[in-house]
Structure formats: structure tokens, C-alpha cells
């Protein structure tokens, strides 16, 4: 079986989404003796995170936890995504140029960059790294984004030219993700345990089920980060993570899992609460491929039946933002589409009557992730108001949910956050679990891919609106990024729009 | 007596084999292809097939079982489908953690339950005995995870005297090791102590009513001395039985407490493995837990023959 | 002779004195009474929930989130705006349901196995008890996690797992009780009279061990309630939106700082049920266990 | 002060003269739970070397009397009255645990009914025998105690005492265990030996040997013995005097000859009739006492036996006073046989 490349990419997006969205690979953690506030030197930092990496090799192991820990910190890319502005900015590339036809990218590299194993970073490594993504060495599905690259030419040790086989508005953006990470040919022997990159940090220790410690290295090419030692501690349990912060076990909660407890921290002088945004759209999927949701009126009825603000209030204590389509507010083509299908139970009932359905029973198969469990109960209750009985069935995430909903598409309704950046494209995939097939939407996206940048934004906007009007799904809200930190910790990545928990700008006063 | 020990050992080995078959067979029913899961849902069929071959999951189940079980005695549990690392060392790491937890909790339970149980029995008519009985009843009724959560809230969050959770290996920092161990051990041990207290109480009460204790008193031994010299060893038999059952409960209770206190022990490994469908890992952990329980049962059976000469008869 | 009163002095020891004399008996009765009242309370709550709850326990009301206790909502509302009292009542139902099915399963399988093992003289009886011992090595939580992994976690898998893990307890009690009964003279007499084994099991053994079994059932029930709570806490038990006390506790964890009431209410409910069943079991044991009676 | 003088002082009512030393005086012993009287006004004396039988049906209070003497009453059961032991300057009733510990096993020891349960199953027999001697320091070292224990085991005629000493109780037969019990009771040469149905649980063949041993032991040591049994032939063999107990009271006393041949109390008569296998009633059935022993607290007011008695008269609703002497008398308004009152 050979899937069309877009399908693979789309699936990849989904797979990634579900992993990042959940607590898939989390585990226990411990607090080091240095976690004691009295002993804590200013140059160390302990950050609590939810999902633990299953291994340290993101070339063969899926999951958001690995790039979260390693990207930009241990591995660097030619260009990175600025967490404040959401823009693509140079990193290892001092500068880059794009040809007018959008096919040729010329990167000028920084000099005197070395890998943590001592090897020098040159244009050869760029060529090696990009070609390695295309080779069998990479097995994770995200590699498909690199298939667009036709050739890589090294013109000097500090200059490299990448030729695309077709123009893409997306490729450079993808280069800010893990597939753009730069490897050394001599440093890929034991990626699962010994990552070798050009970043300011090296892996110090990785205690499975517990924590991962990064330490700065002396020969970093750029400005050394302020915090010399960062420990990433993994908590399966949200309450345990909160308690760790309250009792001094950690300094930062990287992503707060229990929004209701935020008030506790907001009231406490010791802590600062940062509210940012993410790429995670909470998608209430409806199986477009089979009744009753093959009827657009039924789908629209569901959208009208839902009071999304109430869902947001219950699920995330009101943090997060209502959207209305598959676009987070940080994307350039975002527009507020919440008025396309406002909360209007009467309208919902009218639509259902028009579609000729009554006493609707739908299988609502959700993953056992906290937000999904909470949100689904509100959804169920609201749907009951308009006469739709949603039978909630909780499936274990990832394995069973992926199997039943994602692969077999055996569901009527589901609910999961898709956190992959710029992932509206998944709706263009007819084989995706949404079952949404619309040639017009597909062609709009296709045009957008090769259009010039202004047109690109306009076409994407148009596509998003069409999705919303077709009620291909419902978009409940975009997940908030909630960070709680001790007052003296500054420069944390407030918005989670890249794959990295970027520690390079963090300082302790 | 030797015959008996040998027979008991044979039963133990047979139980191990039966347990391994059960565990393996059960895990083999799990839906989902490990290779598919490891590669992510969008992997190509070719790479899935290759991975399947690498995992060995394309072989017949019997062959897989034989391969798996033959590695167990030497601590080879195979390699994780998810992290691609050897499972044996991981389990070994985690076992040490859980073992500390379970042993300390057992010790705490014993230290609390023996005197309290004897007190409750000796004074079972007086107020102090009734108080001990009542408190132990309440102690049993509180789920250990709730106890854990409350302990953290009070001692770690409110008072800040102890860490809220986590683990420091004893070799790294003995002081911190102890500090981190206190709350989970209390959460696990106190509930067990409550259960044990009641068994000690009833065992001692039973023994106090035995003729031989009266005989001892007729010889001139005071009530406490009669109990100590003649009662304890006899009371030990039911108590040891319960203790054995409790070690099993503790191992499993540790799963819950490890979750509450974020301790990287066998329990969290089991839960992670389950969530990730790390089939071999789960299989390995379950097997280790089951072996531990069977081993405790074996030890207890052997202990019986030490305590009770009546069981030594050939 | 049979009509004349028996003056053989060795006849019956007078069950007069007890190490647990009148006072001990009184306390045991008090425990039994408290246990029965607590269990009755839980059962009554569950029964009432079938016909009446103050509010629809599943009715989400985002305008009534996290309300404190008031005349309208006696114990307040949770984050969904659901009435805690109503949830609690429905939770009692779940708790009892899990207990009944689990204990019932264990009894239905365990008791015949135990009685069979006690009467069987062939290797099969020994094998049954060995298998039983082996099952002891799989505690309820472990089984439930395994079941959850294979079949997907649900109330059903939790119940079945708890039930299976409880089988050995029943089998053991049934076997040891049956062995005692089988060695009594009236059974020997029945055997001598040619009664078949099944007949003996039904006529003599079961009625005589029923007391022991009821005690075991009560104690197992308490354990099942705790196990269900622990499983729900770990996410291997009852699934939403069905309320259960364990799930209420788990859901309320994040409110521990601000609204500890939400965690305490189901916590207390669990403790009450467990305490009730344990006290009931203990009280019944004092009633049924002849060992505690004489001397 | 000699023991004799001491005793006289302790019990001024001793009117029987000094031809024998009184070692144990029980006077007005009442035993009761908080609500139920169990023993009422039990009085008797044991003199040195005297063997007294205490007979009656089960439930009449015999074992309880023995336990009361030893101060081993079950919890919740209390004694009142007086139990005085020669050489002890305190009353055993109400004595402290410490005082009683000094008495038990040293001055007064007891052989229990049930040899199967009265020995500690997890302690070697030898040790159990040694224990009492070491406790009361009658042997000052462990080796001495061990030697003494072996000697005792030999004297109770256990075959191969050395291996018996190493054995655990379950490895011995019932008869052997009862010998061990006896050895334990004799270890410190007590002045009073209380035997609570020591042969009831034994095979008939073993019973005779055991009785012989007990008899021998008490004669050898000149120890007073209270021998509890329901078995009249046994009593006739072993004892010199008899106490008949019913409903927690002593209803008749006298020498074996007096009581067994000229019973005055209808209850005694009933007991004798029931144990005589040759005596049959008109229908040819064995004689029995009608009715059964009531449970404690269920005895009738007045004479405790009147509801089973075929001699009942009006006065029986009040308890009859003791007629005759303490050593020979009865408590009945309407006695059988010769009327001592007349």
C-alpha cells in the first residue's frame, strides 16, 4: 500500500497532535536535592512537563516530548520559529534568500559553529542532514515534508543551496521543526541515548520515568544561555505537578494540566502565571463519511447546539480562545469565524427537523485525555438539549483511540486537540478520519501551496471559511498555554507555537 | 522436611511457569500491532514489516513465548517496542525503588500494628482497646491514594516540611532519600498497619483463649509473659499469612501511591507501559510483580515450617 | 434412651461464659448495628436514586459551576455545575453495582470450586486449589490494569477483574468451611446412609458454611469498593459520564486547593461504605463463628 | 510460727482438730459475671495428702471452682469470698497477679482436662516442663532444669524421656501429653494439685495408668489434691472424700464411702443411679436424672435442683441450709435415707 504523500503528512499531523495533546508517555519524576529553594543556585532551573520522551531519537520515534526537550536546546535548525512573534527567523543560517520562482533557497551559515562532539558545523552537514531525512534512516512520518526537496548543493563551507521540486509556502516553516534539525555525520550512532547537536545545551542525564537534565556547554557558538543547568521533570499527574511547584520541587510548570488550579497560583505572590496560546485546536470531529453526519445540516445542527464558551469555561476554566475553524490566532490567515455557527439551539433543532432526523443516537468515542473527558460531558449534555443522544465511550489513548477512531474510522463523533502547526491541510485528505471530501476545498489548498505569499494568506483564509461553513467539524477552542513560574524566572516561551520548549532565552533574576 | 521443602519449591516453579504462560497469553490478546504503533500510524507497510521482523512479532506465538521465557531467568526481558532499549535494566532500576517503598511500608506497618494489635487484644474490653480497634477500622476505610493526597496537601504544600513527591536514590543523597520516602511510606504503611492491627488483634485474642496460654499461666507466668512466651509464636502464624497477602496488596498499592507521589517505580512503569502499548514492557513488569507475590508466598510457606513444628511432619 | 433426657455429663458444654462475655458481645453487636446502619444508608441512597434525585445528576449547567453548599444544592456543585448530592446518590448505585457483580461473580465461581476441592479426593481437587493459589498472585488492580489494557477500561472490566481476584478468597473459605462440615458426624451419617456427594453438598455443606460466606461477602464488598475507587483514580475504572465515587474523587483533584469539599465528599462516602461493610462483616463473624463463642 | 499454728490463726473455725494440716481453705466462695451468679457459697478444706473428689454433671461449676482456686477465671468473671493457702499470708481471692504468680505452679498446680490443646504446640515438651522450674527458681540453672525435667518425664513413665523432651506436643499421643501435663504440674512439688478431669479425654486403657500415676504422685509428695470428675468409679478409686456440686453449689459432702453408699441429696442419688449400669427402671431403661442441667442463670430460685427433683416440697423454694458438718453434710430440705436432723 502506498499512500499519497499528502495523506501521509496529514496522518503524521494527527499522530503528532494526539501525542502532544495528551499524556501519552509521561511518567514519574523526582526532585533533586537542588530543588530545595534554599540550595537553588540561580543558574539552575527545574521545569515540570507532562509527557516524558519515550526515547531521545526523534528521527525514529514519534511523539512531541522529544523535540519539546531537545529542539533549539540541543539540536538547532537553520531557521527557527520565534515564540513571541510566531515568525521564521534565522538561527544557524545567518541569512537566507529565496529565488523568485520559490524553488531555490540559499542559506548563509554562521562561522565557527561546532557540534557538541567537537566537530565543526559546515554546509556539508546541512546537506547530510537534509538528505538523511529523505533516507531510510528517518522513519517518522513527518519526514514527508522533506520529499519536496530536489537537491542540496554545497557551494562553500558556509553556503548551501536547496532546490525544491515545486514551490512551497510551507517548506521553510517546516524547516523550523524537528526535520530541520542539523546532525553531524559522526554524531548519529546512538541518537536514542546520546544526542549530538549544535545547540547551547547538551544532555547531562536522562533518568527514565523521572527527569532529563540539560547542561550548557563551553564551546557554544552563540550567546550562552543564562541558566546553566535545566532539569525537565515529567509528571503524569497534574496535581502532583502543582504540588511540586508549591512545595519547591520545581520552579516552573511548563504546561499547566489542571486549569482550575490556576487561581491558587494567581493568588500566590511567589508565582507568576503566563497565559499564552498554542497551535492546538480542540476539534470535535464528526464522521462526514457516514450517516447521520454525512448530512451537512446535521453537522451544522451540532455546531449550533454547542455553547462553546461554556465548554471552554468548564474544560479550561475559561482560558483559551474561541476560534470557529481550523486556524489558531497566531497563524497569518487567522480570522474570527465564531459567528459562522453561533450557539443557537432553536436553529439546531430546525436544522435537524429539516434534515428529517429525530431521536439521534451517536457514538461519541473520545480518548481518555483529561480535557476530552471533561469537554465531552458538556458536549453530551448540550446535545441532549436538542435531542441528540451522544453515547460517550472513552478509549485509551493512544493505542485504542488511534486504532478505533483514527485508523478504522469507526465513530460518529470524537474529540481531540490537533496541535500540529498549520494543520488545516488534514481536511484536504479524503482518507483522514474526518471523512471530509470536498474537491473545492482541496483545490483551494493546492493553489495556496504554490501561490505568492499575499495570495497564499487569502486562499488559506478562504479555505478556513469554507471548512467552517461546511461544518466539516466543530472547533471548540484553541488550547491555552498556561505556564506558572516562580517570580524570578523570565523569558519562558509563553506561546507554544513551535515544537520546542525553548530554554535559550530563559533567565533567572 | 527436606522433601517438603523440595515439594514446595517444585510447586513454586510450576506456578512460575503457569503464571508466565498466563501473562504471555493475556498480552498476546492485546489489540494493535506493536510494530505499527512504534512507527506511528503513517508508516509504510514495508517498514512495518521490517520492524515486525526486528521485534520478532512475526514469529509464531509459541516461538515468541519460548524466546521470551527463556530470557527471564537471566533478567533478559527483551527490548522495548517503544524506546527500543533493553527492558531488563529498566525493570531492575524500578524494582529497587518499589522495593524500598514496599519494605519500608511493611516495616512501618509492623512497627505500628504489632504493639497496637497486642494492646487492642489485651485491653479489648477497655476503652484503649476500643479506640485502637475503632481507629484501625477507620484506617482501613480510607483509600491509600486519598491518604496520600491529603498527606501531600498538609505536609508538603501547607507546611512545606517534606517534598511533595519524587525520588532520590539513597546512594546519591541519603538525607534526601529519607525525606522523599517519608510521605509515600506513611501513605502506604499506615493503611496497611490498620489492616494488620486488626489481624494481630484477632490472632492474639484467639491465642489468649487457647488452653496452653492458660496452662502457662497455671505454671505461674504473668499474663504478659505468658502471652510473650507462648502466645506470640502461635499468633505469628495467622499474622504471617496476612502479611504475605499484604505484600501483594502493597506491591499493587505502590502503583497508586507511586502515581500520587511521582515515584519512578514499577507501578509507574506499568502504567506508562500500558498507556504506550509497550507490550513487552508491560508483560515484563506484570511478570515481575507476579513472581514477587509467588516468591513471598513461598517464603511464607517455608516460614510456617520454621514457626510451626506441626507442619514439619513428613 | 432417645426419649429420655440425656444426662450424660459430657453432652454439651454450656455456652455460658465467654472470654467475650456480655460486654464483648455488646460491643460486637454495636459494631454490627453501626455497620448495618451505614450499609443500609448506602443501599437506601442507591435505591432512592432510582426514583428520585434532587437534580438530574448528569445535567451540566455552566451557569452553576462550583457553587458552595446552599439550600438549593446541599453539597454544592462540581465544575460542570452538576449537583453533588445527586452525583453522590448515583455514585452509590455504581459502587453497589460494582460490588454486587464482583462479589457475586467471585461467590458463584469460588464457592463451588472450594466445595468441590473439599470433597474431591482426586488430583483435580488439589489442582483446583493450586490454580486458586496462582490466582492469588494476580491482585485485583493488576488484573484490572491488564484487562483495561486488553479490552479497554470500563466499569465492566473493573468489576470482572475485582471479581476474579476475589475468587480465591471465597474458594478458600468455602473449602475450609466445607472440610469442617464434612468431618462432622451428621455428614458421616448421611454418607453412611448412602447420600450422594452433590446431595451432601447442597443439604449439609452449603447451609452450614453460609454464615462464613456471608461474612466473606461483606468483607469482599468493602475491598471491592476500595478497589473500584483506586481503579477510577488511575483511570481504569468507571468511565464518564457515569458517576462513581472514585471518579468524583479523581475529577475533583485539581480543586483540592480551592474547593476541597469536592474531594472530601466522595472520600467520606467511600470511607462510610467501606467502614459499613467491614463492621457488618465483623459483626456477622462474631455471630457466626463458633470459635469465639465458648469459653 | 509453724504452718499449723499459722493455719489455725488463719482459720479459727477449724474445729476438726490438728491431726492433719489444712493446706487449702475455701470459704464462702462466690463466682459471678456482672449479671449472673455462677458459684455460690462454695466452702471446703483440703488437708495435707488428702484427695478430695469434686463431682457433678457438666455445667454444675466444677471446672469453674478449679479455675477460681487458681485465679484463672475468664475475663469478666469475678470471685468473692475467701481462698486461703497455707504458707501464703494473703487471700488468693483478690490477690494481685504477682502474688498469684508466686502461688501458681509452685504451691498449687493444675492438670487440665484437654491434653491436646493444653500444651503449646510450637514449644518443645522439655522446655515446657523446664519453664515452671526456672520461673520459680526451684532449679537454678538451665542444665539443672533440663535434668530435672528429664527426671520428671521419666517419673511419669514416659518411654524414652530424652526424646520425649525434644518432641513437640503433636508428636506425642494423648496419654503421653497428659503425662507431660502431670510432669509440669508436679515439677515444683506443689502442696495442692488440682486435676480437672485429667483422664476424661483419654482412652480407657490409658485412663487407668494415668490415675495410678496421679495417685502415686500425690501420695509420694503428700500433696493435697482436688480431683474433678464426673466419673464415679474413678472417684472411688482415687479419692478419700467427695464434694458433690450442682448449680454452682456444693450440695453434699462426705467420705467416699458415706457419699457413695448413703447419699442424702437427691441429686447425688440421681448421679449414682445414672452411673450404675445395672440399675434399670420399671421400663427396663437405664436410670437417668430427669431434665438437663440448666444454663447459668436459669437455675430455679431456692434449691437449685428442685425443678429436676422428685422429692420437691414446699420449702424447696428457699435454699436449704447446710445440714451436718462441713466434712460431712448436705443441703436439702427433704433428703433421702436417714435424717440427720432427727
Amino acid at each position: 500500500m502506498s499512500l499519497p504523500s499528502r495523506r501521509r503528512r496529514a496522518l503524521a499531523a494527527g499522530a503528532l497532535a494526539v501525542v502532544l495533546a495528551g499524556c501519552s508517555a509521561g511518567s514519574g519524576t523526582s526532585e533533586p536535592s537542588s530543588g530545595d529553594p534554599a540550595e537553588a543556585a540561580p543558574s539552575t532551573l527545574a521545569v515540570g512537563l507532562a509527557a516524558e520522551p519515550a526515547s531521545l531519537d526523534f528521527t525514529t520515534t514519534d511523539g512531541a516530548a522529544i523535540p519539546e526537550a531537545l529542539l533549539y536546546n540541543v539540536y538547532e535548525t537553520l531557521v527557527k520559529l520565534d515564540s513571541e512573534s510566531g515568525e521564521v527567523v534565522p538561527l544557524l543560517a545567518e541569512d537566507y534568500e529565496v529565488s523568485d520562482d520559490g524553488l531555490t533557497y540559499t542559506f548563509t551559515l554562521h562561522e565557527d559553529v561546532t557540534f557538541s562532539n567537537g566537530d565543526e558545523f559546515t554546509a556539508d552537514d546541512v546537506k547530510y542532514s537534509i538528505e538523511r531525512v529523505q533516507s531510510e534512516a528517518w522513519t517518522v512520518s513527518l519526514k514527508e515534508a522533506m520529499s519536496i526537496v530536489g537537491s542540496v548543493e554545497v557551494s562553500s563551507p558556509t553556503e548551501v543551496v536547496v532546490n525544491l521540486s515545486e514551490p512551497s509556502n510551507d517548506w521553510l516553516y517546516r524547516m523550523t521543526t524537528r526535520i530541520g534539525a542539523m546532525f553531524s555525520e559522526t554524531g548519529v550512532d546512538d541518537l536514542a541515548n546520546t544526542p549530538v547537536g549544535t545547540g547551547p545545551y547538551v544532555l547531562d542525564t536522562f533518568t527514565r520515568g523521572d527527569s532529563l537534565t540539560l547542561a550548557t556547554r563551553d564551546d557554544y557558538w552563540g550567546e550562552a544561555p543564562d541558566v546553566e543547568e535545566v532539569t525537565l521533570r515529567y509528571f503524569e499527574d497534574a496535581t502532583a505537578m502543582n504540588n511540586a511547584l508549591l512545595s519547591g520541587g520545581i520552579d516552573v510548570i511548563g504546561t499547566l494540566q489542571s486549569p482550575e488550579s490556576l487561581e491558587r497560583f494567581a493568588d500566590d505572590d511567589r508565582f507568576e502565571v503566563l497565559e499564552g496560546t498554542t497551535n492546538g485546536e480542540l476539534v470535535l470531529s464528526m464522521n462526514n463519511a457516514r450517516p447521520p453526519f454525512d448530512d451537512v445540516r446535521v453537522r451544522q445542527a451540532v455546531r449550533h447546539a454547542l455553547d462553546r464558551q461554556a465548554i471552554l469555561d468548564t474544560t479550561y476554566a475559561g482560558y483559551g480562545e474561541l476560534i470557529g475553524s481550523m486556524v489558531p490566532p497566531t497563524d497569518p490567515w487567522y480570522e474570527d469565524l465564531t459567528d459562522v455557527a453561533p450557539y443557537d439551539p432553536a436553529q439546531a433543532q430546525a436544522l435537524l427537523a429539516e434534515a428529517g432526523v429525530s431521536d439521534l443516537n451517536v457514538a461519541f468515542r473520545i480518548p481518555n485525555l483529561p480535557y476530552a473527558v471533561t469537554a465531552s460531558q458538556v458536549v453530551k449534555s448540550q446535545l441532549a438539549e436538542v435531542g441528540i443522544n451522544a453515547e460517550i465511550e472513552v478509549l485509551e489513548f493512544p493505542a485504542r483511540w488511534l486504532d478505533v477512531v483514527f485508523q478504522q474510522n469507526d465513530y460518529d463523533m470524537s474529540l481531540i486537540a490537533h496541535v500540529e502547526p498549520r494543520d488545516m491541510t488534514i481536511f484536504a485528505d479524503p482518507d483522514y478520519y474526518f471523512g471530509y471530501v470536498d474537491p473545492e476545498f482541496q483545490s483551494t489548498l493546492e493553489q495556496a501551496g504554490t501561490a505568492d505569499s499575499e495570495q497564499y494568506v487569502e486562499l488559506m483564509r478562504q479555505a478556513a471559511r469554507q471548512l467552517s461553513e461546511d461544518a466539516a467539524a466543530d472547533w471548540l477552542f484553541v488550547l491555552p498555554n498556561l505556564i506558572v513560574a516562580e517570580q524570578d524566572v523570565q523569558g519562558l516561551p509563553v506561546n507554544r507555537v513551535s515544537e520546542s520548549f525553548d530554554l535559550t532565552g530563559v533567565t533567572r533574576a | 522436611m527436606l522433601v517438603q521443602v523440595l515439594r514446595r519449591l517444585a510447586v513454586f516453579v510450576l506456578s512460575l511457569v503457569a503464571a508466565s504462560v498466563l501473562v504471555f497469553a493475556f498480552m498476546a490478546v492485546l489489540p494493535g500491532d506493536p510494530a505499527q504503533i512504534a512507527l506511528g500510524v503513517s508508516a509504510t507497510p514495508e517498514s512495518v514489516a521490517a520492524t515486525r521482523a526486528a521485534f520478532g512479532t512475526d514469529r509464531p506465538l509459541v516461538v515468541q513465548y519460548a524466546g521470551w521465557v527463556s530470557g527471564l531467568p537471566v533478567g533478559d526481558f527483551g527490548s522495548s517496542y517503544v524506546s527500543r532499549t533493553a527492558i531488563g535494566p529498566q525493570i531492575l532500576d524500578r524494582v529497587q525503588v518499589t522495593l524500598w517503598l514496599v519494605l519500608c511500608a511493611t516495616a512501618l506497618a509492623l512497627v505500628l500494628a504489632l504493639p497496637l494489635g497486642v494492646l487492642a487484644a489485651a485491653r479489648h474490653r477497655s476503652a484503649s482497646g476500643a479506640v485502637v480497634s475503632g481507629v484501625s477500622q477507620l484506617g482501613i476505610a480510607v483509600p491509600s491514594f486519598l491518604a496520600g493526597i491529603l498527606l501531600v496537601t498538609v505536609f508538603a504544600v501547607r507546611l512545606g516540611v517534606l517534598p511533595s513527591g519524587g525520588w532520590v536514590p539513597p546512594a546519591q543523597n541519603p538525607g534526601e532519600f529519607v525525606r522523599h520516602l517519608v510521605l509515600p511510606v506513611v501513605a502506604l504503611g499506615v493503611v496497611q498497619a490498620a489492616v494488620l492491627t486488626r489481624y494481630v488483634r484477632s490472632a492474639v485474642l484467639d491465642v489468649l483463649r487457647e488452653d496452653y496460654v492458660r496452662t502457662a499461666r497455671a505454671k505461674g507466668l504473668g499474663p504478659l509473659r505468658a502471652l510473650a512466651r507462648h502466645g506470640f509464636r502461635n499468633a505469628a502464624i495467622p499474622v504471617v499469612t496476612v502479611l504475605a497477602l499484604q505484600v501483594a496488596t502493597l506491591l499493587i498499592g505502590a502503583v497508586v501511591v507511586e502515581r500520587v507521589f511521582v515515584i519512578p517505580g514499577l507501578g509507574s512503569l506499568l502504567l506508562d507501559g500500558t498507556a504506550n502499548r509497550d507490550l513487552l514492557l508491560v508483560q515484563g513488569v506484570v511478570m515481575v510483580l507476579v513472581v514477587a507475590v509467588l516468591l513471598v508466598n513461598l517464603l511464607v510457606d517455608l516460614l510456617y515450617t520454621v514457626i510451626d513444628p506441626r507442619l514439619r511432619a513428613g | 434412651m432417645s426419649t429420655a433426657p440425656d444426662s450424660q455429663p459430657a453432652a454439651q458444654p454450656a455456652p455460658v461464659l465467654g472470654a467475650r462475655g456480655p460486654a464483648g458481645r455488646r460491643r460486637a453487636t454495636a459494631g454490627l448495628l453501626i455497620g448495618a446502619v451505614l450499609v443500609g444508608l448506602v443501599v437506601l441512597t442507591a435505591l432512592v436514586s432510582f426514583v428520585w434525585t434532587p437534580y438530574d445528576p448528569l445535567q451540566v449547567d455552566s451557569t452553576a459551576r462550583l457553587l458552595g453548599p446552599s439550600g438549593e444544592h446541599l453539597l454544592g456543585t462540581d465544575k460542570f455545575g452538576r449537583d453533588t448530592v445527586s452525583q453522590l446518590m448515583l455514585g452509590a448505585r455504581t459502587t453497589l453495582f460494582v460490588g454486587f457483580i464482583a462479589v457475586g461473580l467471585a461467590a458463584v465461581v469460588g464457592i463451588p470450586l472450594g466445595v468441590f476441592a473439599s470433597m474431591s479426593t482426586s488430583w483435580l481437587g488439589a489442582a483446583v486449589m493450586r490454580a486458586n493459589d496462582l490466582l492469588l498472585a494476580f491482585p485485583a488492580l493488576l488484573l484490572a490494569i491488564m484487562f483495561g489494557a486488553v479490552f479497554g477500561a470500563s466499569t465492566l472490566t473493573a468489576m470482572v477483574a475485582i471479581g476474579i481476584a476475589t475468587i480465591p478468597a471465597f474458594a478458600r473459605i468455602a473449602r475450609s468451611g466445607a472440610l469442617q462440615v464434612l468431618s462432622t458426624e451428621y455428614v458421616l451419617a448421611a454418607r453412611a446412609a448412602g447420600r450422594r456427594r452433590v446431595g451432601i453438598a447442597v443439604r449439609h455443606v452449603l447451609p452450614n458454611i453460609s454464615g462464613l460466606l456471608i461474612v466473606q461477602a461483606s468483607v469482599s464488598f468493602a475491598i471491592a469498593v476500595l478497589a473500584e475507587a483506586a481503579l477510577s483514580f488511575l483511570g481504569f475504572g468507571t468511565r464518564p459520564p457515569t458517576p462513581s465515587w472514585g471518579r468524583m474523587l479523581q475529577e475533583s483533584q485539581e480543586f483540592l486547593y480551592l474547593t476541597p469539599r469536592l474531594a472530601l465528599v466522595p472520600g467520606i462516602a467511600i470511607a462510610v461504605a467501606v467502614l459499613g461493610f467491614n463492621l457488618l462483616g465483623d459483626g456477622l463473624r462474631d455471630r457466626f463463628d463458633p470459635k469465639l463463642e465458648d469459653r | 510460727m509453724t504452718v499449723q499454728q499459722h493455719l489455725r490463726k488463719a482459720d479459727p473455725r477449724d474445729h476438726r482438730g490438728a491431726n492433719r494440716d489444712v493446706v487449702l481453705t475455701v470459704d464462702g466462695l462466690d463466682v459471678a459475671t456482672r449479671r449472673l451468679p455462677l458459684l455460690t457459697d462454695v466452702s471446703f478444706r483440703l488437708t495435707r495428702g488428702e484427695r478430695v473428689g469434686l463431682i457433678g454433671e457438666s455445667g454444675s461449676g466444677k471446672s469453674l471452682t478449679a479455675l477460681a482456686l487458681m485465679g484463672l477465671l475468664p475475663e469478666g468473671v469475678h470471685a468473692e469470698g475467701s481462698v486461703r493457702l497455707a504458707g501464703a499470708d494473703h487471700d488468693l481471692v483478690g490477690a494481685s497477679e504477682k502474688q498469684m504468680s508466686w502461688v501458681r505452679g509452685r504451691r498449687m498446680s493444675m492438670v487440665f482436662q484437654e491434653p491436646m490443646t493444653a500444651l503449646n504446640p510450637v514449644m518443645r515438651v522439655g522446655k515446657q516442663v523446664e519453664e515452671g522450674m526456672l520461673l520459680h527458681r526451684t532449679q537454678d540453672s538451665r542444665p539443672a532444669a533440663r535434668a530435672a525435667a528429664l527426671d520428671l518425664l521419666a517419673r511419669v513413665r514416659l518411654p524414652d524421656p530424652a526424646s520425649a523432651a525434644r518432641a513437640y506436643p503433636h508428636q506425642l499421643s494423648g496419654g503421653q501429653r497428659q503425662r507431660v501435663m502431670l510432669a509440669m504440674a508436679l515439677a515444683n512439688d506443689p502442696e495442692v494439685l488440682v486435676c480437672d478431669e485429667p483422664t476424661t479425654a483419654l482412652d480407657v486403657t490409658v485412663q487407668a495408668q494415668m490415675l495410678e500415676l496421679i495417685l502415686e504422685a500425690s501420695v509420694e509428695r503428700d500433696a493435697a489434691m482436688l480431683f474433678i470428675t464426673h466419673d464415679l468409679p474413678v472417684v472411688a478409686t482415687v479419692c478419700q472424700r467427695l464434694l458433690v456440686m450442682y448449680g454452682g453449689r456444693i450440695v453434699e459432702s462426705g467420705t467416699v464411702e458415706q457419699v457413695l453408699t448413703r447419699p442424702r441429696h437427691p441429686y447425688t442419688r440421681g448421679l449414682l443411679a445414672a452411673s450404675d449400669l445395672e440399675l434399670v427402671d420399671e421400663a427396663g431403661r437405664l436410670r437417668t436424672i430427669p431434665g438437663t442441667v440448666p444454663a447459668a442463670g436459669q437455675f430455679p430460685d431456692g434449691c437449685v435442683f428442685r425443678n429436676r427433683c422428685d422429692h420437691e416440697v414446699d420449702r424447696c423454694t428457699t435454699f436449704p441450709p447446710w445440714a451436718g458438718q462441713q466434712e460431712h453434710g448436705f443441703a436439702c430440705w427433704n433428703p433421702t435415707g436417714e435424717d440427720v436432723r432427727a
Side-chain angles (χ1 to χ4, degrees), chain D residues 250-253 319-331 341:
Chain D
I250 291 178
V251 294
E252 184 161 7
S253 71
F319 191 80
W322 187 256
Q325 300 161 311
Q326 196 180 42
E327 278 67 38
H328 180 214
F330 56 90
R341 266 166 247 254

Side-chain angles (χ1 to χ4, degrees), chain B residues 77-272:
Chain B
F77 291 80
S79 282
S80 159
Y81 295 153
V82 176
S83 66
R84 317 276 172 102
T85 49
I87 293 170
Q90 282 193 63
I91 290 185
L92 191 67
D93 279 358
R94 305 298 189 97
V95 162
Q96 292 169 14
V97 174
T98 301
L99 214 55
W100 271 113
L101 205 58
V102 169
L103 288 183
C104 291
T106 308
L108 177 69
L110 281 174
V111 164
L112 288 176
L114 291 183
L116 284 177
V118 171
L119 176 82
R123 302 256 173 92
H124 75 278
R125 285 165 172 284
S126 67
S128 56
V131 166
V132 172
S133 295
V135 168
S136 68
Q137 278 284 18
L138 276 178
I140 295 169
V142 176
S144 62
F145 64 91
L146 184 60
I149 291 169
L150 293 176
L151 283 174
V152 170
T153 309
V154 174
F155 290 97
V157 176
R158 283 275 149 73
L159 301 176
V161 288
L162 287 167
S164 67
W167 180 258
V168 176
Q172 186 184 315
N173 184 339
E176 283 299 315
F177 164 71
V178 173
R179 266 167 49 81
H180 282 77
L181 204 58
V182 173
L183 288 184
V185 162
V186 168
L188 204 53
V190 167
V191 175
Q192 296 305 318
V195 179
L196 200 58
T197 300
R198 296 177 32 69
Y199 280 100
V200 171
R201 174 181 176 271
S202 84
V204 171
L205 268 182
D206 282 352
V207 163
L208 281 177
R209 294 181 189 123
E210 289 289 349
D211 285 356
Y212 52 78
V213 172
R214 194 177 57 185
T215 306
R217 301 226 21 222
K219 277 184 205 170
L221 272 76
L224 283 178
R225 231 164 134 187
L227 181 63
R229 284 187 56 101
H230 293 268
F232 283 167
R233 193 153 167 192
N234 284 290
I237 295 166
V239 169
V240 162
T241 311
V242 173
L243 201 60
L245 288 175
Q246 280 205 297
V247 171
T249 322
L250 276 173
L251 275 172
I252 293 309
V255 174
V256 182
V257 168
E258 281 173 13
R259 167 68 69 89
V260 174
F261 289 96
V262 209
I263 293 171
L266 270 186
S268 50
L269 193 63
L270 177 68
L271 292 178
D272 292 352

Side-chain angles (χ1 to χ4, degrees), chain A residues 1-3 7-8 11-12 15 23-33 36 39 52 54-55 60-62 136 139-142 192-193 208-210 234-237 239-241 243-247 264 270 396-400 402-403 406-407, chain B residues 31-32 36-47 51 80 82-85 90 93-94 149 152-153 155-158 160 162-169 172-173 176 179-180 258-265 268-269 271-272 274-277:
Chain A
M1 180 178 83
S2 171
L3 296 168
R7 157 120 214 241
R8 292 205 205 128
L11 277 167
C23 325
S24 66
S27 182
T29 187
S30 77
E31 296 151 33
S33 42
D36 199 304
E39 285 176 49
E52 180 193 347
S55 99
T60 57
T61 308
D62 236 326
E136 285 295 308
T139 60
V140 298
S141 45
L142 292 162
N193 299 300
R208 275 177 213 287
D210 185 83
Y234 295 101
F235 292 85
E236 176 82 6
D237 190 78
T239 312
M241 177 141 57
N243 287 333
L245 183 67
L246 287 170
S247 60
R264 168 69 182 80
R270 290 177 293 169
E396 277 195 286
F397 185 84
R400 271 181 64 78
L402 281 183
D403 186 36
F406 199 84
Q407 291 196 292
Chain B
Q36 179 82 56
I37 290 164
L39 291 180
V41 281
S42 55
T44 60
E46 299 78 39
S47 62
T51 311
S80 159
V82 176
S83 66
R84 317 276 172 102
T85 49
Q90 282 193 63
D93 279 358
R94 305 298 189 97
I149 291 169
V152 170
T153 309
F155 290 97
V157 176
R158 283 275 149 73
L162 287 167
S164 67
W167 180 258
V168 176
Q172 186 184 315
N173 184 339
E176 283 299 315
R179 266 167 49 81
H180 282 77
E258 281 173 13
R259 167 68 69 89
V260 174
F261 289 96
V262 209
I263 293 171
S268 50
L269 193 63
L271 292 178
D272 292 352
T274 311
N276 291 333
R277 277 300 185 282

